[in-house]
Amino acid sequence: MILFGLGNGKNHYKGATGINNCKSTLRGASYATSEVEIFKGKIISWDRGFDANNKHVWGAEKAGYIFDEIKK
């Protein structure tokens, strides 16, 4: 995965795997992708699997999972 700062000074980072770089056999997939965005107080993670015909076979369909910081 390549992770890089977006340079806006707001502690915002984004990274992703390349297409077809991460082999996977989970639920009929032939490869998986992962996209991550890190903000202050929040992480968005979007992992998906695709078959040999590039058809989506597992993972969130429309957007990544959002994990918000829980403040005590």
Side-chain angles (χ1 to χ4, degrees):
M1 176 176 293
I2 297 171
L3 188 65
F4 56 91
L6 296 179
N8 61 9
K10 303 284 186 192
N11 296 321
H12 182 197
Y13 299 88
K14 187 173 185 176
T17 58
I19 301 296
N20 207 8
N21 287 345
C22 297
K23 302 298 179 199
S24 174
T25 57
L26 182 67
R27 298 184 197 141
S30 64
Y31 69 95
T33 62
S34 182
E35 300 174 43
V36 176
E37 276 192 86
I38 302 170
F39 303 86
K40 184 175 179 152
K42 175 172 38 177
I43 295 174
I44 301 172
S45 177
W46 195 359
D47 299 320
R48 296 173 285 175
F50 297 88
D51 68 13
N53 296 314
N54 300 315
K55 179 183 173 202
H56 179 249
V57 294
W58 62 260
E61 294 182 15
K62 298 186 183 208
Y65 295 104
I66 299 171
F67 300 91
D68 289 316
E69 176 183 12
I70 297 174
K71 297 184 180 188
K72 294 181 180 182

